[in-house]
C-alpha cells in the first residue's frame, strides 16, 4: 500500500501513471507572473511525448513574456496546467475554443490535426 501526499492511494498490484512537467513563469506587463506547464495530450499513456517544443513567447513591443507556446505531434486534447485562465488560445494562428477548469487550474484544448500537417502549434495568452 502506497499513499501520496495528494491523497492518492494505491492498493497492492495497482498502478498509476503520472506526468511530471516543467513549470514556466512569464512576466506580464502589469508585473504579475503567469505560471503554466504543458502535460501533453490527454488520455495517452505517454502524452508528454507528444510535445515537440514548449516555451514562452516574448512580446517584442512590451518586452514581457505573455504567451505560452507549445507544439505537439498527433491529435486529441492538449492538457496544460495554468494558474490563471487564458485570455485567448490560438492553434496554428487561428483562435480556438478551449475549456478551463478553475478549480483544478487545467486547460483543455481539443483539436484534430491532418496527416499532411501532423504538428500543431498552440499559443496561449494570459
Amino acid at each position: 500500500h502506497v499513499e501520496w501526499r495528494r491523497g492518492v492511494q494505491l492498493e497492492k498490484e495497482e498502478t498509476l501513471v503520472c506526468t511530471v512537467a516543467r513549470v514556466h513563469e512569464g512576466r506580464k506587463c502589469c508585473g504579475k507572473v503567469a505560471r503554466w506547464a504543458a502535460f501533453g495530450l490527454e488520455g495517452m499513456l505517454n502524452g508528454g511525448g507528444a510535445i515537440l517544443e514548449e516555451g514562452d513567447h516574448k512580446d517584442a513591443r512590451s518586452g514581457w513574456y505573455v504567451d505560452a507556446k507549445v507544439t505537439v505531434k498527433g491529435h486529441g486534447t492538449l492538457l496544460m496546467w495554468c494558474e490563471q485562465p487564458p485570455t485567448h488560445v490560438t492553434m496554428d494562428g487561428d483562435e480556438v475554443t478551449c475549456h478551463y477548469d478553475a478549480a483544478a487550474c487545467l486547460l483543455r484544448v481539443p483539436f484534430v490535426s491532418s496527416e499532411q500537417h501532423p504538428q500543431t502549434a498552440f499559443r496561449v495568452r494570459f
Side-chain angles (χ1 to χ4, degrees), residues 62-77:
S62 69
W64 298 99
Y65 291 95
V66 293
D67 293 353
K69 187 172 69 171
V70 180
T71 303
V72 297
K73 183 174 184 176
H75 62 273
T77 300

Side-chain angles (χ1 to χ4, degrees), residues 36-40 68 70 78-82 105-108 124 126:
W36 63 275
F39 293 130
V70 180
L78 174 66
L79 182 64
M80 294 176 64
W81 172 83
C82 312
C105 297
L106 289 177
L107 174 68
R108 289 179 171 87
V124 181
F126 299 103

Side-chain angles (χ1 to χ4, degrees), residues 50-71:
I51 298 174
L52 300 175
E53 178 185 6
E54 64 179 301
D56 297 312
H57 174 72
K58 188 174 184 177
D59 185 349
R61 288 178 290 152
S62 69
W64 298 99
Y65 291 95
V66 293
D67 293 353
K69 187 172 69 171
V70 180
T71 303

